[in-house]
Amino acid sequence: MLIRALDLADEGGLRAWYDLLVEAEAVDHPEWPPDPWEEHRESYAATASRRFEVWLAEDGGHLLGVAVVELSLLDNLDTAAVEVLVRPRDRRRGVGRALSAHAEERVRRLGRRRILAEVAEPLTHGAGAAGPSFAAAMGFQRALDEIRRVLDLSGVDDARLDALEKEAREHAGGYEVLSWVDVAPEEVVDDLALLMGRMSTDAPMGDVVWEPEAWDAARLREQEASNRRTGRRQLVAAARHVASGRLAAFTVIAVSRYRAEPGYQWDTLVAPDHRGHRLGTLVKVENLRALRRESPGTLTLHTWNAESNTHMVAVNEAMGFRPVERLAEWQREL
Ligand code: ACO
């Protein structure tokens, strides 16, 4: 077995990796397709805030598995995220172990001293599943428990949304709702960047060591450009405090331009001074309506929350999200 770097400009190499991903996901997540090829192809280009290294394990030209090393460049310079994936028919032969050791060596050489890995497992009886067993065998500690939930949009009726909105508005006097697609209006960019930064401090992180992310207008615009390049449309709903003019809450849904299904509920945050006004519900209901308008072919919405994030989970459950899978963050100090 040989481990070599993938040239991220090599479309053939990116395609071979994508084909492996499709094959693995058909086994690991049969109900949940991988991102479209067009998105995969563009997702690993370096930006000012992060870059990737992708390592391929091959045997006689046959691709056995992949390790992806993600490096944040503006903050969290001690940490790297690593993801190992092995072709189903080549599992339990030491490929994952070899890729993991290689990635660890790279992370050390790059001067970083902590590795994070996201590992999926079944909702119940996950302890013996491949991912967590592998992470534990590689010396990682479980650091945060999350649940993936899915909303079946065909089961959400407008009367339910109206009722949720009405109830939220009774607590949200003095706020107005804004919404946009892809590009934030210039007048909210600085406030939105502040709220994006708070995502890294305000969402529960369990034992994950993660320093506050450095967000400003430039990083926000760069993220928008990156989503444009990968074909991710972003639907954003936000609440503005009318008296001060400051942005108080936002929520983002992402849908691929190449395939309407599924959609992803990304970040939602209410600024600390504005909590208790049901703004989380208000912006989420507004954004669900926007999703129906902008992308009627989207039938399901996936989201992830820390198990301990009881407030956000309650909002999601009220909207009809139901748990389907566990996802844990594992961490290893080198
Ligand atoms: N059940 C129990 N233990 C397992 C399993 C399993 N199915 N798979 C691996 N392990 C543990 C064992 O301790 C094993 O050592 P052993 O074979 O000497 O008992 C050790 O992990 C190393 O196993 P490898 O053969 O090197 O692992 P493999 O090549 O099969 O790859 C992987 C394992 C990457 C988890 C594979 O099943 C896969 O691609 N799964 C889907 C994606 C995933 O979950 N990735 C892991 C994320 S964690 C991370 O990236 C650091």
Side-chain angles (χ1 to χ4, degrees):
M1 181 188 356
L2 184 88
I3 297 183
R4 70 169 175 98
L6 172 67
D7 171 0
L8 293 170
D10 167 14
E11 189 160 324
L14 285 167
R15 183 75 218 193
W17 167 23
Y18 185 72
D19 291 343
L20 184 152
L21 195 63
V22 170
E23 198 179 316
E25 289 294 89
V27 171
D28 297 333
H29 290 106
E31 80 300 346
W32 181 28
D35 295 334
W37 154 244
E38 295 85 347
E39 181 171 343
H40 176 84
R41 187 180 55 195
E42 302 296 334
S43 287
Y44 297 89
T47 66
S49 60
R50 62 182 188 165
R51 74 175 184 88
F52 295 89
E53 291 187 357
V54 179
W55 297 92
L56 307 179
E58 293 173 330
D59 189 6
H62 169 69
L63 181 59
L64 303 168
V66 180
V68 181
V69 179
E70 180 180 349
L71 303 156
S72 41
L73 301 177
L74 298 179
D75 46 56
N76 291 284
L77 303 179
D78 282 349
T79 303
V82 170
E83 200 183 326
V84 176
L85 180 70
V86 175
R87 197 184 290 275
R89 67 170 178 271
D90 296 310
R91 290 180 183 171
R92 291 317 288 270
R93 290 172 39 206
V95 177
R97 187 186 291 277
L99 280 166
S100 179
H102 189 88
E104 177 190 325
E105 182 53 29
R106 281 300 298 163
V107 172
R108 280 185 200 278
R109 272 176 188 254
L110 291 164
R112 304 204 174 202
R113 49 194 177 81
R114 184 176 307 108
I115 301 182
L116 290 176
E118 278 184 355
V119 187
E121 65 186 54
L123 205 50
T124 53
H125 313 302
S133 304
F134 175 75
M138 297 303 108
F140 285 74
Q141 316 277 324
R142 203 175 175 102
L144 177 68
D145 273 57
E146 295 185 302
I147 304 269
R148 176 163 66 97
R149 286 182 171 74
V150 175
L151 177 65
D152 172 3
L153 286 156
S154 66
V156 180
D157 67 304
D158 284 325
R160 175 92 186 113
L161 289 188
D162 290 347
L164 279 170
E165 182 183 349
K166 184 168 176 289
E167 200 193 329
R169 282 206 186 269
E170 280 162 16
H171 297 79
Y175 294 89
E176 61 182 351
V177 176
L178 321 173
S179 67
W180 62 87
V181 179
D182 293 337
V183 182
E186 193 57 39
E187 77 265 18
V188 304
V189 166
D190 289 330
D191 274 2
L192 186 61
L194 273 179
L195 297 185
M196 295 291 286
R198 286 209 79 101
M199 279 302 297
S200 62
T201 56
D202 291 16
M205 293 296 273
D207 295 328
V208 173
V209 179
W210 195 250
E211 62 184 41
E213 292 177 5
W215 279 83
D216 59 12
R219 183 167 180 177
L220 187 87
R221 291 302 192 204
E222 183 203 80
Q223 193 203 47
E224 289 177 349
S226 161
N227 283 325
R228 246 190 329 274
R229 200 181 57 242
T230 58
R232 279 272 167 209
R233 296 181 73 205
Q234 281 193 98
L235 278 51
V236 185
R240 182 158 57 190
H241 184 235
V242 177
S244 64
R246 305 299 302 266
L247 217 57
F250 78 103
T251 189
V252 184
I253 289 175
V255 188
S256 170
R257 279 180 204 291
Y258 303 109
R259 197 182 62 208
E261 182 61 358
Y264 292 94
Q265 170 63 60
W266 282 354
D267 296 349
T268 301
L269 184 117
V270 181
D273 291 352
H274 300 280
R275 290 183 188 155
H277 295 279
R278 306 273 167 97
L279 299 182
T281 303
L282 194 63
V283 292
K284 281 198 161 188
V285 169
E286 174 67 25
N287 224 20
L288 265 196
R289 293 214 174 95
L291 177 66
R292 284 186 158 168
R293 232 175 18 244
E294 296 284 337
S295 184
T298 302
L299 307 175
T300 51
L301 204 51
H302 295 232
T303 197
W304 289 258
N305 298 109
E307 241 183 322
S308 57
N309 197 349
T310 43
H311 185 65
M312 194 79 275
V313 168
V315 171
N316 287 340
E317 294 263 341
M319 293 173 78
F321 279 92
R322 294 294 171 254
V324 292
E325 188 180 50
R326 246 170 219 287
L327 187 90
E329 290 280 350
W330 293 71
Q331 181 168 264
R332 183 168 171 216
E333 300 288 337
L334 299 180

